[in-house]
Amino acid sequence: MHTEGIEERAGESGAPQWFIRSECRGCELKIGVEVPEGQTYGLVDRLMWTDEALHRLDRLPPYIATLIKKDAEQAVRQRDCQVVTHDVLLCPEIGERIEWEPEAERRLERVPAPVRAMARVELERTAADRGWSRVTVSLMEEVKAKYFGMGVQKT
């Protein structure tokens, strides 16, 4: 059997599920199996991206998508898994989702669209590298000063 794709779904109890689509290349029989998230039971034959993760990746600018794809696949391999999920894209190396202060989120919305995705990635990576679980306005100012020399100047 050859894995064609994986969909992330919520099961009847609300627990995350994966719907794995496979095909027999010999007889062209196609099957779909719903399994609990992360439990592939040998149904995934190579490194795969869920449909949701691919959709999110496709919406990023190409220069960002290349970096994100490489990091996500490396993170999945380090966890000894074969599936890149939507959450893997949202979770840096620390394995936890980085939250944003509301004011930091508002400021990010004012960043020009062509660089907004890159700014989000860099801010979340910096927070993760420091072991922080949250992007703050002060972190934004620090990163802005580092890359653009435009941070808040203290007198």
Side-chain angles (χ1 to χ4, degrees):
M1 295 301 280
H2 173 76
T3 309
E4 285 188 331
I6 303 171
E7 296 173 34
E8 297 179 56
R9 297 181 172 178
E12 291 178 15
S13 64
Q17 300 277 314
W18 287 349
F19 184 75
I20 302 173
R21 299 182 313 274
S22 298
E23 175 184 30
C24 174
R25 289 185 171 167
C27 67
E28 297 182 8
L29 173 70
K30 294 184 180 192
I31 62 166
V33 178
E34 194 166 79
V35 299
E37 179 182 43
Q39 299 178 19
T40 59
Y41 305 109
L43 296 170
V44 179
D45 58 354
R46 65 192 182 287
L47 182 70
M48 294 287 302
W49 284 66
T50 64
D51 296 346
E52 291 73 17
L54 282 173
H55 175 73
R56 183 172 177 89
L57 186 70
D58 288 343
R59 295 179 67 206
L60 294 172
Y63 54 91
I64 297 291
T66 303
L67 297 172
I68 297 292
K69 182 176 182 180
K70 179 182 165 189
D71 287 351
E73 289 178 351
Q74 182 179 351
V76 166
R77 285 187 185 104
Q78 286 175 347
R79 295 178 191 154
D80 201 26
C81 297
Q82 288 185 296
V83 181
V84 178
T85 64
H86 182 261
D87 279 347
V88 168
L89 294 178
L90 300 176
C91 304
E93 291 119 20
I94 59 171
E96 296 177 13
R97 197 175 277 192
I98 299 292
E99 301 296 326
W100 283 70
E101 283 184 350
E103 179 59 25
E105 192 75 54
R106 281 191 288 280
R107 285 184 180 209
L108 184 67
E109 290 172 9
R110 294 192 309 245
V111 172
V115 295
R116 188 176 305 137
M118 185 169 47
R120 178 179 288 277
V121 167
E122 183 58 31
L123 287 161
E124 289 180 355
R125 275 194 189 155
T126 302
D129 289 346
R130 294 179 180 183
W132 297 1
S133 61
R134 191 173 189 96
V135 173
T136 63
V137 172
S138 63
L139 178 65
M140 291 181 85
E141 290 297 328
E142 185 180 328
V143 169
K144 184 176 170 182
K146 176 182 173 185
Y147 287 102
F148 304 107
M150 300 170 60
V152 173
Q153 295 179 352
K154 296 182 181 179
T155 57

